[in-house]
Amino acid sequence: MNETLILAGVLGSAIGAVLGLTGAGGGVLAMPALIMGLGMSLPEAVPVSLAAVSLAAATGAVVGLRRGVVRYRAAGLMALLGVLSAPVGLWLGHRLPQPMLTTVFCALMLYIAVRMLRKPARPADADGPHEARNCMLDPATGRFRWNTRCSATLGLIGCTAGLFTGMLGVGGGFLIVPAFRQFSDLSMQAASATSLAVIALVAAITASGSLIHGGGIGTDGLAFIATTTLGLLLARRVGARLSERTLQRLLGGVILTVALAWLARQYL
């Protein structure tokens, strides 16, 4: 078997595992892995990254739906607005200098990582009412109490995630999960599963647009896509046994590591 195919399988499995555990990090890790690990250019890596993240996220979202932890109305609203903003991201990604895009992307990741590592996780079984946030769950139904503030918050998160999906081929989960933790009282498990549903929809449509506009996927890319889904399925079994604090810190550590690695590659 070709060594590059083996490497693609190893990288895909690892990225799928991170996506399965945290509901984020798939696209954030996939792009550096494809570019630095498999030697793809940015235009070559974008459709592969989006296809891999979309398929894996869709698989994880189905598992979350079966467990009843996906907030599907929120995911639908965020995905709709993400799909509308993703073409703007694609347009910007083809016109803005890559060093500038990378720097802005890494600065945002560093900010999010520090917030997640410093902020204490909320215990899933904490007694008493949660701190008031923009989007709050109704204890009687387990669903969001929809109002103007909640709808606007979720819409803005979806738009921002879609923009970065189009620009850099990332799934957007690195924004969605921390945003859920900041602006809602969702547990880490529910935030992760709902994030996967949004990522699956936005990444699939954006990947289709990238392929229509001339993108392609080779043998190495297909191996990467298949093993990403396999890694996610295995990791979802493990993630159910980990604490909220562990998952939150894992996500923060992943985002911090990737941001520093990209900055080092860009400037050193």
Side-chain angles (χ1 to χ4, degrees):
M1 184 181 290
N2 188 294
E3 291 182 0
T4 307
L5 281 177
I6 295 175
L7 179 59
V10 171
L11 292 173
S13 298
I15 288 160
V18 173
L19 186 61
L21 287 172
T22 66
V28 169
L29 288 172
M31 289 300 290
L34 293 168
I35 294 171
M36 294 186 281
L38 299 180
M40 294 184 183
S41 66
L42 182 63
E44 291 172 336
V46 166
V48 177
S49 171
L50 288 171
V53 170
S54 173
L55 181 59
T59 304
V62 169
V63 174
L65 281 168
R66 288 178 176 174
R67 294 176 180 171
V69 295
V70 175
R71 302 276 58 86
Y72 53 86
R73 288 179 61 192
L77 172 63
M78 295 166 72
L80 173 62
L81 293 175
V83 166
L84 293 176
S85 64
V88 179
L90 278 171
W91 183 84
L92 290 172
H94 284 89
R95 286 162 179 79
L96 296 177
Q98 185 175 338
M100 184 182 77
L101 286 175
T102 301
T103 301
V104 172
F105 183 47
C106 289
L108 180 60
M109 283 198 296
L110 287 172
Y111 172 76
I112 291 172
V114 171
R115 286 293 302 269
M116 294 208 76
L117 290 170
R118 293 182 60 185
K119 186 176 181 179
R122 297 190 306 272
D125 58 350
D127 294 327
H130 291 299
E131 173 190 350
R133 297 172 187 269
N134 289 19
C135 294
M136 300 293 292
L137 296 173
D138 184 340
T141 63
R143 299 175 181 176
F144 280 132
R145 293 170 174 157
W146 286 88
N147 53 43
T148 302
R149 185 171 67 168
C150 181
S151 299
T153 299
L154 295 176
L156 182 59
I157 296 169
C159 281
T160 305
L163 193 67
F164 277 96
T165 297
M167 280 196 295
L168 292 160
V170 299
F174 79 100
L175 279 172
I176 296 170
V177 176
F180 270 139
R181 300 296 286 166
Q182 176 68 31
F183 298 111
S184 81
D185 58 344
L186 279 183
S187 69
M188 187 68 185
Q189 293 285 353
S192 171
T194 305
S195 171
L196 289 175
V198 178
I199 291 168
L201 293 168
V202 176
I205 294 173
T206 311
S208 300
S210 179
L211 291 171
I212 290 171
H213 286 87
I217 298 176
T219 305
D220 296 344
L222 292 175
F224 183 88
I225 292 167
T227 52
T228 300
T229 302
L230 178 61
L232 179 138
L233 286 172
L234 295 174
R236 292 299 285 178
R237 293 180 175 271
V238 177
R241 303 173 186 173
L242 299 178
S243 69
E244 296 262 315
R245 181 182 181 85
T246 300
L247 290 173
Q248 180 171 302
R249 297 223 167 172
L250 174 62
L251 178 56
V254 166
I255 295 174
L256 178 63
T257 301
V258 173
L260 293 175
W262 267 37
L263 286 173
R265 181 178 181 269
Q266 183 72 44
Y267 295 107
L268 298 182

Short mmCIF file of all heavy atoms in Angstrom, two decimals, residues 95-133:
data_model
loop_
_atom_site.label_atom_id
_atom_site.label_comp_id
_atom_site.label_asym_id
_atom_site.label_seq_id
_atom_site.Cartn_x
_atom_site.Cartn_y
_atom_site.Cartn_z
N ARG A 95 -9.82 35.74 -3.05
CA ARG A 95 -9.36 37.08 -3.37
C ARG A 95 -8.44 37.70 -2.32
O ARG A 95 -7.64 38.57 -2.63
CB ARG A 95 -10.57 38.00 -3.60
CG ARG A 95 -11.24 37.73 -4.94
CD ARG A 95 -12.66 38.28 -5.01
NE ARG A 95 -13.24 38.01 -6.31
CZ ARG A 95 -13.75 36.84 -6.68
NH1 ARG A 95 -13.76 35.83 -5.82
NH2 ARG A 95 -14.26 36.69 -7.89
N LEU A 96 -8.55 37.27 -1.08
CA LEU A 96 -7.70 37.83 -0.02
C LEU A 96 -6.38 37.06 0.07
O LEU A 96 -6.35 35.87 -0.21
CB LEU A 96 -8.43 37.78 1.32
CG LEU A 96 -9.70 38.62 1.44
CD1 LEU A 96 -10.36 38.41 2.80
CD2 LEU A 96 -9.40 40.10 1.22
N PRO A 97 -5.30 37.73 0.45
CA PRO A 97 -4.01 37.05 0.59
C PRO A 97 -4.07 35.94 1.64
O PRO A 97 -4.62 36.14 2.73
CB PRO A 97 -3.06 38.18 1.02
CG PRO A 97 -3.75 39.44 0.65
CD PRO A 97 -5.22 39.17 0.76
N GLN A 98 -3.49 34.79 1.31
CA GLN A 98 -3.53 33.66 2.24
C GLN A 98 -2.87 33.98 3.59
O GLN A 98 -3.39 33.58 4.63
CB GLN A 98 -2.87 32.43 1.62
CG GLN A 98 -2.98 31.19 2.50
CD GLN A 98 -2.43 29.96 1.83
OE1 GLN A 98 -2.33 29.88 0.61
NE2 GLN A 98 -2.06 28.97 2.63
N PRO A 99 -1.70 34.69 3.62
CA PRO A 99 -1.10 35.02 4.93
C PRO A 99 -2.03 35.82 5.83
O PRO A 99 -2.08 35.59 7.04
CB PRO A 99 0.14 35.83 4.55
CG PRO A 99 0.49 35.36 3.17
CD PRO A 99 -0.83 35.11 2.50
N MET A 100 -2.79 36.74 5.24
CA MET A 100 -3.72 37.54 6.04
C MET A 100 -4.85 36.66 6.59
O MET A 100 -5.21 36.76 7.76
CB MET A 100 -4.29 38.67 5.20
CG MET A 100 -5.20 39.62 6.01
SD MET A 100 -5.91 40.92 5.00
CE MET A 100 -7.21 40.02 4.17
N LEU A 101 -5.40 35.79 5.74
CA LEU A 101 -6.46 34.89 6.19
C LEU A 101 -5.97 34.00 7.33
O LEU A 101 -6.66 33.81 8.34
CB LEU A 101 -6.93 34.01 5.03
CG LEU A 101 -7.79 34.67 3.95
CD1 LEU A 101 -8.05 33.68 2.83
CD2 LEU A 101 -9.09 35.18 4.53
N THR A 102 -4.76 33.46 7.17
CA THR A 102 -4.22 32.56 8.18
C THR A 102 -4.01 33.29 9.51
O THR A 102 -4.31 32.76 10.58
CB THR A 102 -2.88 31.98 7.71
OG1 THR A 102 -3.09 31.26 6.48
CG2 THR A 102 -2.29 31.03 8.74
N THR A 103 -3.51 34.51 9.45
CA THR A 103 -3.24 35.28 10.67
C THR A 103 -4.53 35.59 11.42
O THR A 103 -4.61 35.42 12.64
CB THR A 103 -2.51 36.58 10.32
OG1 THR A 103 -1.27 36.27 9.66
CG2 THR A 103 -2.21 37.39 11.58
N VAL A 104 -5.54 36.04 10.69
CA VAL A 104 -6.83 36.36 11.33
C VAL A 104 -7.45 35.10 11.94
O VAL A 104 -7.95 35.10 13.07
CB VAL A 104 -7.80 36.98 10.30
CG1 VAL A 104 -9.20 37.13 10.90
CG2 VAL A 104 -7.27 38.33 9.83
N PHE A 105 -7.38 34.01 11.18
CA PHE A 105 -7.92 32.74 11.64
C PHE A 105 -7.23 32.28 12.92
O PHE A 105 -7.87 31.89 13.90
CB PHE A 105 -7.71 31.72 10.52
CG PHE A 105 -8.28 30.36 10.79
CD1 PHE A 105 -9.55 30.19 11.28
CD2 PHE A 105 -7.53 29.22 10.51
CE1 PHE A 105 -10.08 28.92 11.50
CE2 PHE A 105 -8.04 27.96 10.72
CZ PHE A 105 -9.32 27.81 11.21
N CYS A 106 -5.90 32.36 12.95
CA CYS A 106 -5.14 31.90 14.11
C CYS A 106 -5.37 32.80 15.33
O CYS A 106 -5.45 32.31 16.46
CB CYS A 106 -3.65 31.85 13.78
SG CYS A 106 -3.21 30.51 12.66
N ALA A 107 -5.50 34.10 15.09
CA ALA A 107 -5.76 35.02 16.20
C ALA A 107 -7.11 34.69 16.86
O ALA A 107 -7.23 34.68 18.09
CB ALA A 107 -5.76 36.46 15.70
N LEU A 108 -8.11 34.40 16.03
CA LEU A 108 -9.42 34.03 16.56
C LEU A 108 -9.34 32.72 17.34
O LEU A 108 -9.92 32.58 18.42
CB LEU A 108 -10.42 33.92 15.42
CG LEU A 108 -11.86 33.53 15.80
CD1 LEU A 108 -12.47 34.55 16.76
CD2 LEU A 108 -12.72 33.41 14.55
N MET A 109 -8.61 31.75 16.80
CA MET A 109 -8.47 30.46 17.49
C MET A 109 -7.77 30.62 18.83
O MET A 109 -8.14 29.97 19.82
CB MET A 109 -7.71 29.48 16.60
CG MET A 109 -8.54 28.89 15.47
SD MET A 109 -7.78 27.39 14.79
CE MET A 109 -6.28 28.04 14.11
N LEU A 110 -6.74 31.45 18.89
CA LEU A 110 -6.02 31.66 20.15
C LEU A 110 -6.93 32.25 21.21
O LEU A 110 -6.91 31.84 22.38
CB LEU A 110 -4.81 32.57 19.92
CG LEU A 110 -3.63 31.94 19.17
CD1 LEU A 110 -2.59 33.00 18.84
CD2 LEU A 110 -3.00 30.82 19.99
N TYR A 111 -7.75 33.20 20.80
CA TYR A 111 -8.68 33.83 21.74
C TYR A 111 -9.67 32.79 22.28
O TYR A 111 -9.91 32.71 23.50
CB TYR A 111 -9.43 34.97 21.04
CG TYR A 111 -10.56 35.55 21.87
CD1 TYR A 111 -10.29 36.42 22.93
CD2 TYR A 111 -11.88 35.22 21.59
CE1 TYR A 111 -11.33 36.94 23.69
CE2 TYR A 111 -12.92 35.75 22.34
CZ TYR A 111 -12.64 36.61 23.40
OH TYR A 111 -13.67 37.10 24.14
N ILE A 112 -10.24 31.99 21.38
CA ILE A 112 -11.21 30.98 21.79
C ILE A 112 -10.57 29.94 22.69
O ILE A 112 -11.13 29.54 23.72
CB ILE A 112 -11.83 30.30 20.55
CG1 ILE A 112 -12.71 31.29 19.79
CG2 ILE A 112 -12.63 29.06 20.94
CD1 ILE A 112 -13.19 30.78 18.45
N ALA A 113 -9.35 29.50 22.35
CA ALA A 113 -8.66 28.48 23.13
C ALA A 113 -8.40 28.95 24.55
O ALA A 113 -8.62 28.21 25.52
CB ALA A 113 -7.35 28.10 22.44
N VAL A 114 -7.92 30.17 24.69
CA VAL A 114 -7.62 30.70 26.02
C VAL A 114 -8.89 30.78 26.85
O VAL A 114 -8.91 30.43 28.04
CB VAL A 114 -6.94 32.08 25.91
CG1 VAL A 114 -6.83 32.74 27.28
CG2 VAL A 114 -5.56 31.93 25.30
N ARG A 115 -9.99 31.22 26.22
CA ARG A 115 -11.27 31.31 26.95
C ARG A 115 -11.72 29.93 27.43
O ARG A 115 -12.18 29.77 28.56
CB ARG A 115 -12.35 31.92 26.04
CG ARG A 115 -12.22 33.42 25.79
CD ARG A 115 -12.46 34.22 27.06
NE ARG A 115 -13.78 33.97 27.63
CZ ARG A 115 -14.87 34.68 27.34
NH1 ARG A 115 -14.80 35.69 26.50
NH2 ARG A 115 -16.02 34.41 27.91
N MET A 116 -11.59 28.93 26.59
CA MET A 116 -12.04 27.59 26.96
C MET A 116 -11.15 26.96 28.02
O MET A 116 -11.64 26.24 28.90
CB MET A 116 -12.09 26.69 25.72
CG MET A 116 -13.12 27.12 24.71
SD MET A 116 -13.74 25.74 23.74
CE MET A 116 -14.84 24.94 24.90
N LEU A 117 -9.87 27.23 27.97
CA LEU A 117 -8.96 26.64 28.96
C LEU A 117 -9.09 27.32 30.32
O LEU A 117 -8.91 26.67 31.36
CB LEU A 117 -7.51 26.75 28.45
CG LEU A 117 -7.17 25.84 27.27
CD1 LEU A 117 -5.80 26.20 26.70
CD2 LEU A 117 -7.21 24.38 27.68
N ARG A 118 -9.41 28.60 30.33
CA ARG A 118 -9.51 29.34 31.60
C ARG A 118 -10.88 29.23 32.24
O ARG A 118 -11.00 29.29 33.46
CB ARG A 118 -9.18 30.82 31.36
CG ARG A 118 -7.74 31.08 30.95
CD ARG A 118 -7.48 32.56 30.79
NE ARG A 118 -7.72 33.29 32.02
CZ ARG A 118 -7.65 34.62 32.12
NH1 ARG A 118 -7.36 35.34 31.05
NH2 ARG A 118 -7.87 35.22 33.26
N LYS A 119 -11.91 29.07 31.41
CA LYS A 119 -13.28 29.08 31.94
C LYS A 119 -13.62 27.71 32.52
O LYS A 119 -13.47 26.69 31.85
CB LYS A 119 -14.26 29.43 30.81
CG LYS A 119 -15.70 29.60 31.31
CD LYS A 119 -16.58 30.04 30.15
CE LYS A 119 -18.02 30.23 30.62
NZ LYS A 119 -18.89 30.68 29.53
N PRO A 120 -14.12 27.64 33.77
CA PRO A 120 -14.50 26.35 34.34
C PRO A 120 -15.72 25.77 33.63
O PRO A 120 -16.62 26.50 33.23
CB PRO A 120 -14.84 26.69 35.80
CG PRO A 120 -15.20 28.13 35.77
CD PRO A 120 -14.35 28.76 34.70
N ALA A 121 -15.70 24.47 33.43
CA ALA A 121 -16.84 23.80 32.80
C ALA A 121 -18.01 23.75 33.76
O ALA A 121 -17.84 23.63 34.97
CB ALA A 121 -16.45 22.39 32.37
N ARG A 122 -19.24 23.81 33.21
CA ARG A 122 -20.43 23.68 34.05
C ARG A 122 -20.74 22.20 34.22
O ARG A 122 -20.89 21.48 33.24
CB ARG A 122 -21.63 24.36 33.38
CG ARG A 122 -21.48 25.83 33.19
CD ARG A 122 -22.81 26.45 32.75
NE ARG A 122 -23.35 25.79 31.57
CZ ARG A 122 -23.05 26.15 30.33
NH1 ARG A 122 -22.19 27.12 30.11
NH2 ARG A 122 -23.61 25.53 29.31
N PRO A 123 -20.84 21.73 35.42
CA PRO A 123 -21.22 20.33 35.60
C PRO A 123 -22.59 20.07 34.99
O PRO A 123 -23.50 20.87 35.11
CB PRO A 123 -21.26 20.15 37.13
CG PRO A 123 -20.43 21.28 37.67
CD PRO A 123 -20.63 22.42 36.71
N ALA A 124 -22.69 18.93 34.32
CA ALA A 124 -23.95 18.61 33.63
C ALA A 124 -25.10 18.40 34.61
O ALA A 124 -26.26 18.61 34.30
CB ALA A 124 -23.78 17.36 32.77
N ASP A 125 -24.76 17.97 35.83
CA ASP A 125 -25.80 17.68 36.80
C ASP A 125 -25.86 18.68 37.93
O ASP A 125 -26.30 18.40 39.03
CB ASP A 125 -25.59 16.26 37.36
CG ASP A 125 -24.21 16.12 38.02
OD1 ASP A 125 -23.39 17.03 37.86
OD2 ASP A 125 -23.99 15.08 38.67
N ALA A 126 -25.37 19.89 37.66
CA ALA A 126 -25.34 20.91 38.71
C ALA A 126 -26.74 21.22 39.20
O ALA A 126 -27.69 21.28 38.43
CB ALA A 126 -24.69 22.18 38.18
N ASP A 127 -26.87 21.39 40.50
CA ASP A 127 -28.17 21.72 41.07
C ASP A 127 -28.43 23.22 40.94
O ASP A 127 -27.51 24.02 40.85
CB ASP A 127 -28.21 21.35 42.56
CG ASP A 127 -28.12 19.84 42.76
OD1 ASP A 127 -28.63 19.10 41.89
OD2 ASP A 127 -27.53 19.43 43.79
N GLY A 128 -29.71 23.58 40.95
CA GLY A 128 -30.07 24.99 40.94
C GLY A 128 -30.08 25.55 39.53
O GLY A 128 -29.64 24.92 38.58
N PRO A 129 -30.57 26.78 39.36
CA PRO A 129 -30.66 27.38 38.04
C PRO A 129 -29.29 27.76 37.50
O PRO A 129 -28.39 28.12 38.23
CB PRO A 129 -31.53 28.64 38.29
CG PRO A 129 -31.28 28.97 39.74
CD PRO A 129 -31.09 27.67 40.43
N HIS A 130 -29.17 27.67 36.15
CA HIS A 130 -27.94 28.10 35.51
C HIS A 130 -27.90 29.62 35.41
O HIS A 130 -28.92 30.30 35.48
CB HIS A 130 -27.86 27.52 34.08
CG HIS A 130 -27.66 26.03 34.05
ND1 HIS A 130 -26.56 25.43 34.59
CD2 HIS A 130 -28.42 25.04 33.51
CE1 HIS A 130 -26.64 24.12 34.40
NE2 HIS A 130 -27.76 23.86 33.75
N GLU A 131 -26.71 30.14 35.23
CA GLU A 131 -26.54 31.57 34.99
C GLU A 131 -27.33 31.95 33.74
O GLU A 131 -27.33 31.23 32.75
CB GLU A 131 -25.04 31.84 34.78
CG GLU A 131 -24.71 33.25 34.36
CD GLU A 131 -23.26 33.39 33.95
OE1 GLU A 131 -22.49 32.44 34.18
OE2 GLU A 131 -22.91 34.44 33.38
N ALA A 132 -28.01 33.10 33.79
CA ALA A 132 -28.82 33.54 32.65
C ALA A 132 -27.93 33.79 31.44
O ALA A 132 -26.90 34.46 31.52
CB ALA A 132 -29.57 34.83 33.02
N ARG A 133 -28.35 33.24 30.30
CA ARG A 133 -27.61 33.39 29.05
C ARG A 133 -28.58 33.73 27.93
O ARG A 133 -29.80 33.69 28.11
CB ARG A 133 -26.83 32.11 28.73
CG ARG A 133 -25.76 31.79 29.78
CD ARG A 133 -25.13 30.42 29.56
NE ARG A 133 -24.24 30.10 30.67
CZ ARG A 133 -22.96 30.38 30.71
NH1 ARG A 133 -22.39 30.99 29.67
NH2 ARG A 133 -22.22 30.07 31.75
#
